[in-house]
Amino acid sequence: MEKATGSRLVYQAWKEGRVPDAALSSTTGEFQADSGQVERESLLRTYRRRLRRTPPGSPLHDQTYALVGFLEAFQKTHLTMISVSTEAGGFDIFLADSQARRILF
C-alpha cells in the first residue's frame, strides 16, 4: 500500500472517531504501510479463541471483545488488513473494507 493512501485512510478514520489519537501519530513520521485480504471467519476463529484465554476485565480482553463484536456484526466475507509500521519499531493494525477504501476498525 502506498504511504499516502495509508496516511489518508488513517486520518479519515481518526476524523470519524474510529481510531484513537495514538493511531494517527503512526502515520506522521517515517512509516511503512502494508495491506492484504483476510477472511472474516478466519479472524473470528482466532479472536474468539484469544478472547477465551484473556482475563476478563483486562484491557486486552476488552479490546478483543470489541473486535469480536465488530467481526460478528460485519456481514461481508473479506476485509483488508492494513499494518502500519513506524520507524521507531511500533505498529498499528486496522481493518478496512475489501477494497481498502475505508478503515472500519
Side-chain angles (χ1 to χ4, degrees):
M1 170 174 281
E2 292 182 14
K3 289 171 76 170
T5 302
S7 184
R8 180 184 52 77
L9 289 171
V10 171
Y11 179 77
Q12 177 185 354
W14 170 80
K15 197 167 129 181
E16 295 172 359
R18 286 190 311 279
V19 300
D21 292 346
L24 183 62
S25 67
S26 67
T27 58
T28 56
E30 279 298 314
F31 70 94
Q32 178 177 340
D34 297 304
S35 64
Q37 293 282 304
V38 292
E39 290 187 19
R40 175 185 156 273
E41 285 300 319
S42 177
L43 291 174
L44 263 173
R45 279 192 303 278
T46 298
Y47 288 100
R48 282 178 176 152
R49 187 172 50 247
R50 182 171 291 172
L51 186 61
R52 290 190 303 269
R53 296 177 180 177
T54 57
S58 69
L60 181 58
H61 185 273
D62 295 346
Q63 292 166 353
T64 305
Y65 182 81
L67 176 58
V68 168
F70 164 78
L71 291 169
E72 287 174 340
F74 190 75
Q75 297 300 308
K76 305 223 172 161
T77 306
H78 290 91
L79 294 143
T80 301
M81 184 176 283
I82 301 170
S83 174
V84 176
S85 305
T86 66
E87 186 178 47
F91 69 93
D92 287 309
I93 295 178
F94 307 97
L95 292 175
D97 62 273
S98 61
Q99 281 94 29
R101 291 181 295 200
R102 184 173 185 230
I103 291 176
L104 306 172
F105 191 89

